[in-house]
Amino acid sequence: MSVALVTGAAGLVGSETTLALLAAGWEVIGIDNDTRAELFGPDASTAPVRRMLAGLAHYRHLDADICDRAAVDGVFRAHAKAIELVVHAAAQPSHDWSAQDPRRDFEINALGTLNLLEAVREHSPDAVFVMLSTNKVYGDRPNSLPLQELPTRWELAADHRFHTGITEEMSIDRTTHSPFGASKVAADVLTQEYGRYFGLRTVVFRCGCITGARHAGARLHGFLSYLMRCAATGDPYTVYGYQGKQVRDNIDARDLARAIQAVAAAPVPGAVYNMGGGRDSNCSLLEARLECEEISGRPMNWTYDARARTGDHIWWISGDQRFKADYPHWALRHGWRSVLREIHDANLTQWRAAAPTAGTG
């Protein structure tokens, strides 16, 4: 049986990837120590998902920290060449949080990635290594695009070369990234170099917003999940800047898991792919708010603050043409509206049972 190691295994991407791999006949070793609860509070804990995974056949959970070099090395030494796939989904994912503790952010995102890459190079050099990066590696450069203000969103003209989505050709230099963006740049480039320089089979996904019914959305992270939670419970939600018309593309973690499986079967070493909902699944904050109100059947308790968050994107739609060219059989299956409905239906009972929390967006 093929062995895969998944970091952040109880998180959104990690858990959906784990389930997909198990269904495909893999044995999965999951690493997750619920750092998410430490960073974002108990409502963001991955413990319920961890308990679900622990009951599944061919899954083994390790409560390890990717920042602990010795612990990571020990996991790989124990399994060595049996590991055929590493999916690195563990991260500190919030650019707002990163400003509070840049050192901790860098330890998790950059040094944690380095620990994994070195362990793969030493013990499992034939494994495919898939790293989940972010569109924040481009910093605020997308804000320099000639955007047009429409009634519910900012938009790019149909004749612009990035209208179908921003491609990997956009520069990551001379922009404001946030400490989070900078730490992910380090991890992203390191992963590329371990493919190009050391010859490992590494692949990087630069993702837009990732979503899904299992997402434990929190005040500082988890766009659609937290927005839907506030709509359903009446918790306050604050939109910062750009008239609430800033655009995000959204990819369901199940679609991302299928993309990871495609890469595992036929990796392009050193490849970098912008990955998201693209033109098939994107919305502005205003459009998402209106959809949440429609689904919940109640107006949102939301306010607007004209101060935009530093480095925040006004418009992001992922250009996934390169990935689709390499993997033409992959296609998006879940759009943002249907995912919002799933998020609502899967979580409504537990949200309303929980104590209210302050919101932001």
Side-chain angles (χ1 to χ4, degrees):
M1 182 176 289
S2 300
V3 177
L5 187 144
V6 179
T7 71
L12 177 63
V13 177
S15 62
E16 293 294 355
T17 302
T18 293
L19 291 171
L21 291 171
L22 291 172
W26 290 73
E27 178 181 345
V28 178
I29 301 168
I31 294 179
D32 196 308
N33 63 345
D34 203 6
T35 297
R36 190 174 176 85
E38 169 199 333
L39 301 179
F40 306 120
D43 287 345
S45 173
T46 58
V49 176
R50 172 179 174 170
R51 289 192 291 269
M52 178 273 292
L53 292 175
L56 301 179
H58 305 300
Y59 177 79
R60 178 188 174 195
H61 194 91
L62 299 177
D63 186 19
D65 186 347
I66 61 170
C67 297
D68 185 336
R69 178 180 175 183
V72 170
D73 190 72
V75 172
F76 279 87
R77 187 185 306 110
H79 299 278
K81 295 184 179 180
I83 297 175
E84 298 180 26
L85 172 65
V86 178
V87 180
H88 179 28
Q92 189 299 106
S94 168
H95 69 266
D96 289 323
W97 190 95
S98 70
Q100 302 174 23
D101 193 343
R103 184 179 298 276
R104 178 72 170 133
D105 171 81
F106 194 86
E107 288 173 347
I108 296 171
N109 290 343
L111 294 181
T113 300
L114 178 59
N115 289 339
L116 290 162
L117 288 166
E118 274 293 280
V120 169
R121 185 163 76 102
E122 177 69 21
H123 303 292
S124 309
D126 295 326
V128 177
F129 186 98
V130 181
M131 182 254 179
L132 275 300
S133 186
T134 172
N135 60 9
K136 294 298 189 292
V137 301
Y138 297 104
D140 62 359
R141 182 165 299 281
N143 294 354
S144 65
L145 294 172
L147 298 170
Q148 304 169 348
E149 185 176 2
L150 302 182
T152 64
R153 59 162 51 203
W154 293 92
E155 190 52 273
L156 198 57
D159 61 353
H160 195 280
R161 68 188 182 102
F162 287 152
H163 175 77
T164 56
I166 295 171
T167 68
E168 300 82 3
E169 282 68 40
M170 176 170 277
S171 174
I172 67 173
D173 294 325
R174 299 182 303 280
T175 71
T176 299
H177 289 84
S178 81
F180 163 71
S183 67
K184 293 297 281 188
V185 165
D188 183 312
V189 174
L190 269 173
T191 302
Q192 293 182 57
E193 286 306 304
Y194 272 71
R196 298 174 186 276
Y197 190 91
F198 291 119
L200 298 185
R201 301 202 291 171
T202 65
V203 173
V204 172
F205 280 123
R206 291 174 175 170
C207 299
C209 290
I210 308 171
T211 189
R214 298 183 203 279
H215 203 182
R219 186 176 65 85
L220 296 180
H221 178 69
F223 168 35
L224 290 185
S225 175
Y226 194 68
L227 185 69
M228 189 71 252
R229 174 176 180 154
C230 290
T233 62
D235 287 355
Y237 189 97
T238 302
V239 175
Y240 288 100
Y242 308 122
Q243 293 78 51
K245 298 179 181 181
Q246 53 266 58
V247 170
R248 307 282 183 266
D249 73 350
N250 298 272
I251 184 169
D252 189 282
R254 293 167 293 183
D255 287 326
L256 185 53
R258 290 190 299 106
I260 291 169
Q261 286 181 289
V263 165
V268 179
V272 178
Y273 300 111
N274 283 358
M275 174 57 65
R279 274 293 172 186
D280 295 323
S281 179
N282 66 84
C283 59
S284 70
L285 278 169
L286 176 56
E287 291 162 352
R289 191 202 97 201
L290 295 174
E291 188 72 16
C292 285
E293 291 179 339
E294 176 70 22
I295 292 171
S296 66
R298 59 190 293 177
M300 282 194 69
N301 176 17
W302 78 288
T303 56
Y304 175 69
D305 188 326
R307 297 170 298 174
R309 295 183 299 180
T310 302
D312 197 18
H313 290 159
I314 305 173
W315 186 92
W316 177 272
I317 292 179
S318 302
D320 55 9
Q321 299 93 319
R322 178 180 292 177
F323 182 79
K324 287 180 176 178
D326 287 347
Y327 303 94
H329 299 297
W330 180 91
L332 207 69
R333 293 179 180 174
H334 306 278
W336 68 273
R337 287 185 174 88
S338 63
V339 173
L340 266 180
R341 170 63 69 177
E342 289 186 57
I343 291 171
H344 175 272
D345 293 350
N347 296 283
L348 182 61
T349 300
Q350 69 183 52
W351 283 342
R352 289 187 173 172
T357 57
T360 189

